[in-house]
Amino acid sequence: MVCSLLVCVDCAAAQSAPQTGAEAFILMDAGSGRVLTGKNTEQELAIASTTKIMTALVALETGNLSDKVTVKQNHLKEGSSMYLRAGEVLTLEELLYGLLLPSGNDAAECIADHCSGGGERFVARMNEKAAALGMTHTSFANPSGLDAQGHYSCALDMARLAAYAMREPTFARIAATRTAAVGERMLGNHNKLLASLEGCTGLKTGYTDNAGRTLVTCCERDGMRLIAVTLNDRSDWADHAALYEYGFAAFARKRAVARGEEYTLAPVRGGTQTSVSLAAGESFFYPVTAGEELLVSARLPEELTAPLTAGQAVGELIVSMDGRELARAPLVCAEPVAAAEKKQSLFERLFDRTG
């Protein structure tokens, strides 16, 4: 059985997406993955130190924040640095601040060595994680982002990575930190938008001669979280600000399905009641612009059979727009339905009396 409900939306008037100076860029809704605007989103390019988003994620999955890590001479790499010294001991958490705020290549090498016993094994984990996240245009060759053969990604993959990373509480906390004290060091975050852009919560800057300026950021307003990525962009700060102003003005985050909201009634056979109320088991939000409408359809059996428990999945809600399916959510029983007591036949009643 299928029934449908049209979700009407009220948005600001449509406006044109801004142009950027980037070789490739994207603006994506983090919750749904909808691409709001972009150019060359799957073009494989060098990504410089935005690589360290993945480095931090793998470190958080394989190490403990309180781990004591000894710095070795071979960890002291060229380029951006948190100025580690061979022989000093820091915690993994302190190294993560050095990785994500001043973009320390030395911190990246130290983390990789500690978490996997060597750079190659750590890079293998980075690539395994990329594959698990569906980053089909990405290959890592080192944990720092220094130019290397076989080290690249694309704007779409980096946006997906950023959206995933910002759901990790420790990563999100560190990426949003403007300054942090690590021993005698005062580390400053290279992401200028944390201080200048309303709602900016991270993420990571990057630069090499080959990659140019790369930037991945996250911004949240009124419950809608957007991710912007620019690759090889000389005007990245201004371009990210313009992308967010466009995204938040042109799109509104609408709730198509609300968890716990009753959607329909379904007939029940063999129960203490003849029908049961069905509710959404999950919520689903989607960014929409003027003139767009979300359609919610329910798929459920023609008839349910008691007993039924509250929260039991019996069907699903399908959210679509312009004939394209966007998501599915379980349709669950909003209340329990007990099985009706079976009535005895005349023969059974006579047998009970004589037995």
Side-chain angles (χ1 to χ4, degrees), residues 100-120:
L100 294 178
L101 273 63
S103 196
N105 293 338
D106 47 0
E109 294 295 331
C110 197
I111 287 169
D113 195 13
H114 170 74
C115 290
S116 295
E120 290 185 4

PDB file of all heavy atoms in Angstrom, residues 100-120:
ATOM      1  N   LEU A 100      46.327  20.517  13.303  1.00  0.00           N
ATOM      2  CA  LEU A 100      45.177  21.194  12.707  1.00  0.00           C
ATOM      3  C   LEU A 100      45.214  22.713  12.820  1.00  0.00           C
ATOM      4  O   LEU A 100      44.587  23.405  12.014  1.00  0.00           O
ATOM      5  CB  LEU A 100      43.884  20.667  13.332  1.00  0.00           C
ATOM      6  CG  LEU A 100      43.556  19.199  13.048  1.00  0.00           C
ATOM      7  CD1 LEU A 100      42.284  18.770  13.767  1.00  0.00           C
ATOM      8  CD2 LEU A 100      43.410  18.958  11.547  1.00  0.00           C
ATOM      9  N   LEU A 101      45.919  23.263  13.808  1.00  0.00           N
ATOM     10  CA  LEU A 101      45.947  24.720  13.946  1.00  0.00           C
ATOM     11  C   LEU A 101      47.061  25.348  13.101  1.00  0.00           C
ATOM     12  O   LEU A 101      46.764  26.018  12.102  1.00  0.00           O
ATOM     13  CB  LEU A 101      46.043  25.116  15.420  1.00  0.00           C
ATOM     14  CG  LEU A 101      44.709  25.235  16.177  1.00  0.00           C
ATOM     15  CD1 LEU A 101      43.991  23.901  16.238  1.00  0.00           C
ATOM     16  CD2 LEU A 101      44.918  25.784  17.580  1.00  0.00           C
ATOM     17  N   PRO A 102      48.347  25.141  13.428  1.00  0.00           N
ATOM     18  CA  PRO A 102      49.409  25.707  12.586  1.00  0.00           C
ATOM     19  C   PRO A 102      49.807  24.797  11.437  1.00  0.00           C
ATOM     20  O   PRO A 102      50.755  25.100  10.705  1.00  0.00           O
ATOM     21  CB  PRO A 102      50.570  25.877  13.568  1.00  0.00           C
ATOM     22  CG  PRO A 102      50.395  24.748  14.517  1.00  0.00           C
ATOM     23  CD  PRO A 102      48.908  24.585  14.688  1.00  0.00           C
ATOM     24  N   SER A 103      49.108  23.650  11.289  1.00  0.00           N
ATOM     25  CA  SER A 103      49.324  22.747  10.158  1.00  0.00           C
ATOM     26  C   SER A 103      50.720  22.144  10.156  1.00  0.00           C
ATOM     27  O   SER A 103      51.399  22.098   9.131  1.00  0.00           O
ATOM     28  CB  SER A 103      49.068  23.482   8.834  1.00  0.00           C
ATOM     29  OG  SER A 103      48.919  22.568   7.777  1.00  0.00           O
ATOM     30  N   GLY A 104      51.148  21.641  11.313  1.00  0.00           N
ATOM     31  CA  GLY A 104      52.499  21.126  11.447  1.00  0.00           C
ATOM     32  C   GLY A 104      52.763  19.849  10.667  1.00  0.00           C
ATOM     33  O   GLY A 104      52.158  18.806  10.943  1.00  0.00           O
ATOM     34  N   ASN A 105      53.673  19.920   9.700  1.00  0.00           N
ATOM     35  CA  ASN A 105      54.108  18.717   9.008  1.00  0.00           C
ATOM     36  C   ASN A 105      54.867  17.794   9.961  1.00  0.00           C
ATOM     37  O   ASN A 105      54.815  16.567   9.826  1.00  0.00           O
ATOM     38  CB  ASN A 105      55.004  19.073   7.817  1.00  0.00           C
ATOM     39  CG  ASN A 105      54.245  19.805   6.726  1.00  0.00           C
ATOM     40  OD1 ASN A 105      53.020  19.716   6.642  1.00  0.00           O
ATOM     41  ND2 ASN A 105      54.970  20.526   5.886  1.00  0.00           N
ATOM     42  N   ASP A 106      55.585  18.398  10.920  1.00  0.00           N
ATOM     43  CA  ASP A 106      56.283  17.601  11.925  1.00  0.00           C
ATOM     44  C   ASP A 106      55.284  16.829  12.790  1.00  0.00           C
ATOM     45  O   ASP A 106      55.497  15.655  13.116  1.00  0.00           O
ATOM     46  CB  ASP A 106      57.200  18.479  12.774  1.00  0.00           C
ATOM     47  CG  ASP A 106      56.538  19.755  13.289  1.00  0.00           C
ATOM     48  OD1 ASP A 106      55.347  19.982  12.998  1.00  0.00           O
ATOM     49  OD2 ASP A 106      57.235  20.546  13.982  1.00  0.00           O
ATOM     50  N   ALA A 107      54.175  17.469  13.136  1.00  0.00           N
ATOM     51  CA  ALA A 107      53.135  16.786  13.911  1.00  0.00           C
ATOM     52  C   ALA A 107      52.539  15.629  13.121  1.00  0.00           C
ATOM     53  O   ALA A 107      52.269  14.560  13.676  1.00  0.00           O
ATOM     54  CB  ALA A 107      52.042  17.778  14.306  1.00  0.00           C
ATOM     55  N   ALA A 108      52.339  15.833  11.812  1.00  0.00           N
ATOM     56  CA  ALA A 108      51.766  14.782  10.966  1.00  0.00           C
ATOM     57  C   ALA A 108      52.664  13.557  10.952  1.00  0.00           C
ATOM     58  O   ALA A 108      52.195  12.408  11.079  1.00  0.00           O
ATOM     59  CB  ALA A 108      51.554  15.303   9.554  1.00  0.00           C
ATOM     60  N   GLU A 109      53.976  13.755  10.785  1.00  0.00           N
ATOM     61  CA  GLU A 109      54.904  12.628  10.744  1.00  0.00           C
ATOM     62  C   GLU A 109      54.985  11.928  12.088  1.00  0.00           C
ATOM     63  O   GLU A 109      55.058  10.694  12.162  1.00  0.00           O
ATOM     64  CB  GLU A 109      56.296  13.121  10.316  1.00  0.00           C
ATOM     65  CG  GLU A 109      56.356  13.644   8.898  1.00  0.00           C
ATOM     66  CD  GLU A 109      56.082  12.571   7.857  1.00  0.00           C
ATOM     67  OE1 GLU A 109      56.376  11.390   8.128  1.00  0.00           O
ATOM     68  OE2 GLU A 109      55.566  12.922   6.779  1.00  0.00           O
ATOM     69  N   CYS A 110      54.974  12.699  13.149  1.00  0.00           N
ATOM     70  CA  CYS A 110      55.037  12.139  14.498  1.00  0.00           C
ATOM     71  C   CYS A 110      53.794  11.304  14.792  1.00  0.00           C
ATOM     72  O   CYS A 110      53.877  10.194  15.331  1.00  0.00           O
ATOM     73  CB  CYS A 110      55.174  13.279  15.502  1.00  0.00           C
ATOM     74  SG  CYS A 110      55.732  12.778  17.135  1.00  0.00           S
ATOM     75  N   ILE A 111      52.628  11.809  14.414  1.00  0.00           N
ATOM     76  CA  ILE A 111      51.361  11.100  14.610  1.00  0.00           C
ATOM     77  C   ILE A 111      51.340   9.804  13.813  1.00  0.00           C
ATOM     78  O   ILE A 111      50.957   8.748  14.323  1.00  0.00           O
ATOM     79  CB  ILE A 111      50.185  12.009  14.207  1.00  0.00           C
ATOM     80  CG1 ILE A 111      49.986  13.107  15.258  1.00  0.00           C
ATOM     81  CG2 ILE A 111      48.897  11.204  14.033  1.00  0.00           C
ATOM     82  CD1 ILE A 111      49.032  14.197  14.824  1.00  0.00           C
ATOM     83  N   ALA A 112      51.753   9.869  12.553  1.00  0.00           N
ATOM     84  CA  ALA A 112      51.729   8.687  11.692  1.00  0.00           C
ATOM     85  C   ALA A 112      52.631   7.592  12.239  1.00  0.00           C
ATOM     86  O   ALA A 112      52.266   6.407  12.260  1.00  0.00           O
ATOM     87  CB  ALA A 112      52.149   9.063  10.280  1.00  0.00           C
ATOM     88  N   ASP A 113      53.814   7.974  12.704  1.00  0.00           N
ATOM     89  CA  ASP A 113      54.754   7.000  13.252  1.00  0.00           C
ATOM     90  C   ASP A 113      54.201   6.364  14.515  1.00  0.00           C
ATOM     91  O   ASP A 113      54.281   5.143  14.708  1.00  0.00           O
ATOM     92  CB  ASP A 113      56.091   7.702  13.543  1.00  0.00           C
ATOM     93  CG  ASP A 113      57.221   6.709  13.769  1.00  0.00           C
ATOM     94  OD1 ASP A 113      57.045   5.509  13.469  1.00  0.00           O
ATOM     95  OD2 ASP A 113      58.282   7.141  14.252  1.00  0.00           O
ATOM     96  N   HIS A 114      53.615   7.161  15.371  1.00  0.00           N
ATOM     97  CA  HIS A 114      53.077   6.639  16.628  1.00  0.00           C
ATOM     98  C   HIS A 114      51.868   5.737  16.419  1.00  0.00           C
ATOM     99  O   HIS A 114      51.771   4.668  17.019  1.00  0.00           O
ATOM    100  CB  HIS A 114      52.683   7.795  17.551  1.00  0.00           C
ATOM    101  CG  HIS A 114      51.909   7.345  18.755  1.00  0.00           C
ATOM    102  ND1 HIS A 114      52.503   6.695  19.816  1.00  0.00           N
ATOM    103  CD2 HIS A 114      50.577   7.410  19.045  1.00  0.00           C
ATOM    104  CE1 HIS A 114      51.583   6.387  20.713  1.00  0.00           C
ATOM    105  NE2 HIS A 114      50.405   6.816  20.272  1.00  0.00           N
ATOM    106  N   CYS A 115      50.937   6.153  15.576  1.00  0.00           N
ATOM    107  CA  CYS A 115      49.667   5.430  15.443  1.00  0.00           C
ATOM    108  C   CYS A 115      49.765   4.155  14.621  1.00  0.00           C
ATOM    109  O   CYS A 115      48.951   3.244  14.790  1.00  0.00           O
ATOM    110  CB  CYS A 115      48.603   6.355  14.837  1.00  0.00           C
ATOM    111  SG  CYS A 115      48.075   7.668  15.955  1.00  0.00           S
ATOM    112  N   SER A 116      50.743   4.077  13.727  1.00  0.00           N
ATOM    113  CA  SER A 116      50.834   2.885  12.864  1.00  0.00           C
ATOM    114  C   SER A 116      52.221   2.292  12.765  1.00  0.00           C
ATOM    115  O   SER A 116      52.437   1.368  11.988  1.00  0.00           O
ATOM    116  CB  SER A 116      50.330   3.224  11.457  1.00  0.00           C
ATOM    117  OG  SER A 116      48.960   3.532  11.479  1.00  0.00           O
ATOM    118  N   GLY A 117      53.166   2.843  13.533  1.00  0.00           N
ATOM    119  CA  GLY A 117      54.511   2.289  13.499  1.00  0.00           C
ATOM    120  C   GLY A 117      55.255   2.585  12.225  1.00  0.00           C
ATOM    121  O   GLY A 117      56.221   1.889  11.895  1.00  0.00           O
ATOM    122  N   GLY A 118      54.853   3.588  11.510  1.00  0.00           N
ATOM    123  CA  GLY A 118      55.535   3.955  10.271  1.00  0.00           C
ATOM    124  C   GLY A 118      54.609   4.648   9.309  1.00  0.00           C
ATOM    125  O   GLY A 118      53.396   4.400   9.299  1.00  0.00           O
ATOM    126  N   GLY A 119      55.184   5.549   8.503  1.00  0.00           N
ATOM    127  CA  GLY A 119      54.379   6.351   7.592  1.00  0.00           C
ATOM    128  C   GLY A 119      53.622   5.544   6.568  1.00  0.00           C
ATOM    129  O   GLY A 119      52.464   5.854   6.257  1.00  0.00           O
ATOM    130  N   GLU A 120      54.240   4.511   6.010  1.00  0.00           N
ATOM    131  CA  GLU A 120      53.580   3.740   4.955  1.00  0.00           C
ATOM    132  C   GLU A 120      52.329   3.046   5.464  1.00  0.00           C
ATOM    133  O   GLU A 120      51.303   3.032   4.780  1.00  0.00           O
ATOM    134  CB  GLU A 120      54.554   2.714   4.367  1.00  0.00           C
ATOM    135  CG  GLU A 120      55.673   3.326   3.544  1.00  0.00           C
ATOM    136  CD  GLU A 120      56.540   2.272   2.892  1.00  0.00           C
ATOM    137  OE1 GLU A 120      56.207   1.063   3.025  1.00  0.00           O
ATOM    138  OE2 GLU A 120      57.539   2.644   2.248  1.00  0.00           O
TER     139      GLU A 120
END
